[in-house]
């Protein structure tokens, strides 16, 4: 391959005049703002939020975030995209549909506030508003867990039960307006938990990493989503390392897009801050100053609101240094 593909965060739409230039990976990017003395401790955001994105499509929009393969970043994506939507002013309910391995509450720092789950709601032990955990940082973001980590899910719980929960969110009786977005964090695999999670959704965000095992599972999941009637499927490529792409040790974003044939919602670079934020229960998008991965999640949320997408472009490969370059040759 004579050229390497790097992403360009330029959306298809021309309604982003404040993104100039939009790429956060471009070496030629020079923000006009004043650079601090120590650039390692401060990252200047290239996004100029001078308008609110226009919500597209009927609400609430029910979006399932899935992948097939575990460990690619579904829960991290749900937490960061959900809080980004809340920061943009939209009402969001995130449903953790992973019954046996519940982790979304940990990433959000809400694990100590989950007293009731959807199972108690369906059993009549509590109201729906009691099971919804409201984030104190952004009151328009709420979390709903299906069940507690060590409890057994009733045999009657399935896709129809999740549809009932989503319909109940649409016609809330607690005085709060229905959510603009319902994000469903899908469990790994393609078993009964996957079928349950995708049943009420009309949109899907497929999270994958640029490795062959994740791509095979993502391709399989894409077919299952289309068979279930979900046609609006967009893709987020996570844990991208441009140094490995330049060395042709990692597939580029354009390669991934060509293999899966899906619209590109966002590209998330590899970031060590993800581990820190996970352990602290503090999503990346809330960090000040923001990280590159946090900015990428915010841009993905912006595109999700307007049902937009981005495209990858080709950049010429840098010449490789020879052996004698180590000696000044």
């Amino acid at each position: 391959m004579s050229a390497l593909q790097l992403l360009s965060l330029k959306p298809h739409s021309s309604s982003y005049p404040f993104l100039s230039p939009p790429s956060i990976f471009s070496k030629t990017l020079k923000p006009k703002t004043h650079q601090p003395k120590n650039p390692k401790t401060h990252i200047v955001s290239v996004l100029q939020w001078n308008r609110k994105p226009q919500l597209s499509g009927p609400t609430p929009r029910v979006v399932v975030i899935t992948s097939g393969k575990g460990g690619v970043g579904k829960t991290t994506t749900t937490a960061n995209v959900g809080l980004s939507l809340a920061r943009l002013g939209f009402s969001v309910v995130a449903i953790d549909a992973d019954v046996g391995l519940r982790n979304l509450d940990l990433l959000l720092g809400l694990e100590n506030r989950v007293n009731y789950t959807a199972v108690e709601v369906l059993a009549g032990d509590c109201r729906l508003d009691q099971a919804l955990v409201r984030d104190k940082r952004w009151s328009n973001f709420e979390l709903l867990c299906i069940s507690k980590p060590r409890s057994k899910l009733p045999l009657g719980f399935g896709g129809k039960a999740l549809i009932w929960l989503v319909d109940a969110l649409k016609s809330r009786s607690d005085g709060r307006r229905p959510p603009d977005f319902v994000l469903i964090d899908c469990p790994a695999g393609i078993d009964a938990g996957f079928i349950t999670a995708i049943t009420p959704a009309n949109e899907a965000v497929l999270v994958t990493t640029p490795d062959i095992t994740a791509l095979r599972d993502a391709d399989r999941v894409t077919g299952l989503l289309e068979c279930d009637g979900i046609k609006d499927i967009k893709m987020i490529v996570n844990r991208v390392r441009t140094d490995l792409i330049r060395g042709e040790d990692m597939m580029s974003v354009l390669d991934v897009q060509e293999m899966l044939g899906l619209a590109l919602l966002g590209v998330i670079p590899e970031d060590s801050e993800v581990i820190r934020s996970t352990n602290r229960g503090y999503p990346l998008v809330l960090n000040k100053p923001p990280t590159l991965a946090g900015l990428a999640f915010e841009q993905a949320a912006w595109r999700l609101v307007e049902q937009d997408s981005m495209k990858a472009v080709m950049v010429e490969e840098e010449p490789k240094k020879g052996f004698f370059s180590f000696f000044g040759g």
Side-chain angles (χ1 to χ4, degrees):
M1 185 169 57
S2 61
L4 293 178
Q5 297 81 13
L6 293 177
L7 69 107
S8 169
L9 296 183
K10 182 178 181 181
H12 290 315
S13 174
S14 60
S15 60
Y16 294 80
F18 53 92
L19 296 178
S20 58
S23 175
I24 62 175
F25 295 94
S26 175
K27 288 187 175 181
T28 60
L29 178 60
K30 295 180 179 180
K32 296 181 179 181
T33 54
H34 176 68
Q35 293 288 350
K37 294 181 180 180
N38 187 4
K40 293 183 179 180
T41 60
H42 184 76
I43 298 177
V44 179
S45 172
V46 299
L47 295 180
Q48 304 297 325
W49 302 110
N50 58 359
R51 71 175 180 89
K52 180 180 177 179
Q54 300 297 318
L55 183 59
S56 177
T59 59
R61 289 171 52 186
V62 185
V63 184
V64 61
I65 300 179
T66 182
S67 69
K69 187 177 185 299
V72 298
K74 294 185 299 295
T75 305
T76 302
T77 300
T78 305
N80 285 278
V81 170
L83 277 177
S84 295
L85 293 173
R87 294 177 68 193
L88 290 172
F90 300 103
S91 176
V92 182
V93 173
I95 300 178
D96 192 342
D98 196 337
V99 178
L101 302 173
R102 192 184 80 191
N103 289 318
L104 184 57
D105 56 333
L106 291 173
L107 268 67
L108 293 168
L110 302 176
E111 66 276 7
N112 295 326
R113 298 180 53 201
V114 180
N115 297 320
Y116 299 103
T117 64
V119 172
E120 280 87 10
V121 175
L122 294 172
D125 297 332
C126 70
R127 302 187 308 272
L128 178 61
D129 61 292
Q130 292 177 308
L132 289 168
V133 180
R134 189 180 306 172
D135 196 305
K136 293 181 179 180
R137 297 161 295 196
W138 296 92
S139 60
N140 52 342
F141 180 89
E142 294 174 297
L143 170 67
L144 176 64
C145 296
I146 296 296
S147 67
K148 296 179 180 179
R150 295 186 179 181
S151 63
K152 293 183 179 180
L153 195 68
L155 295 177
F157 189 90
K160 292 184 178 179
L162 195 55
I163 290 176
W164 182 89
L165 288 172
V166 172
D167 289 340
L169 290 172
K170 295 178 181 179
S171 56
R172 299 179 63 169
S173 59
D174 56 355
R176 293 175 63 87
R177 65 186 180 92
D180 299 311
F181 286 90
V182 177
L183 303 182
I184 303 175
D185 184 19
C186 184
I190 53 174
D191 53 3
F194 169 81
I195 301 300
T196 299
I198 69 174
T199 300
N202 45 42
E203 299 178 46
V205 174
L206 187 68
V207 183
T208 185
T209 52
D211 59 86
I212 193 65
T213 55
L215 292 178
R216 171 184 282 184
D217 293 349
D219 184 61
R220 173 63 173 159
V221 167
T222 301
L224 294 175
L225 291 172
E226 292 175 346
C227 290
D228 198 64
I230 302 176
K231 304 300 182 181
D232 189 354
I233 307 173
K234 293 185 175 63
M235 172 181 60
I236 287 182
V237 184
N238 194 21
R239 304 183 65 178
V240 174
R241 291 185 55 179
T242 54
D243 57 335
L244 294 182
I245 294 177
R246 293 191 188 97
E248 300 186 2
D249 295 320
M250 175 180 282
M251 280 184 290
S252 68
V253 178
L254 187 58
D255 292 334
V256 174
Q257 192 173 17
E258 289 177 350
M259 291 181 65
L260 296 180
L262 298 175
L264 193 58
L265 185 66
V267 177
I268 315 300
E270 181 74 41
D271 195 341
S272 60
E273 189 64 27
V274 173
I275 299 177
R276 299 189 187 95
S277 67
T278 299
N279 292 332
R280 291 182 302 170
Y282 198 80
L284 282 173
V285 295
L286 301 181
N287 283 5
K288 294 180 181 180
T291 64
L292 289 179
L295 290 174
F297 277 122
E298 288 181 348
Q299 293 176 348
W302 187 282
R303 296 187 190 95
L304 182 64
V305 171
E306 298 193 338
Q307 293 185 335
D308 206 344
S309 61
M310 56 179 288
K311 59 182 178 181
V313 298
M314 298 180 63
V315 178
E316 291 298 326
E317 181 181 0
E318 295 181 356
K320 298 180 180 180
K321 295 182 179 180
F323 175 77
F324 291 100
S325 62
F326 293 100
F327 302 96

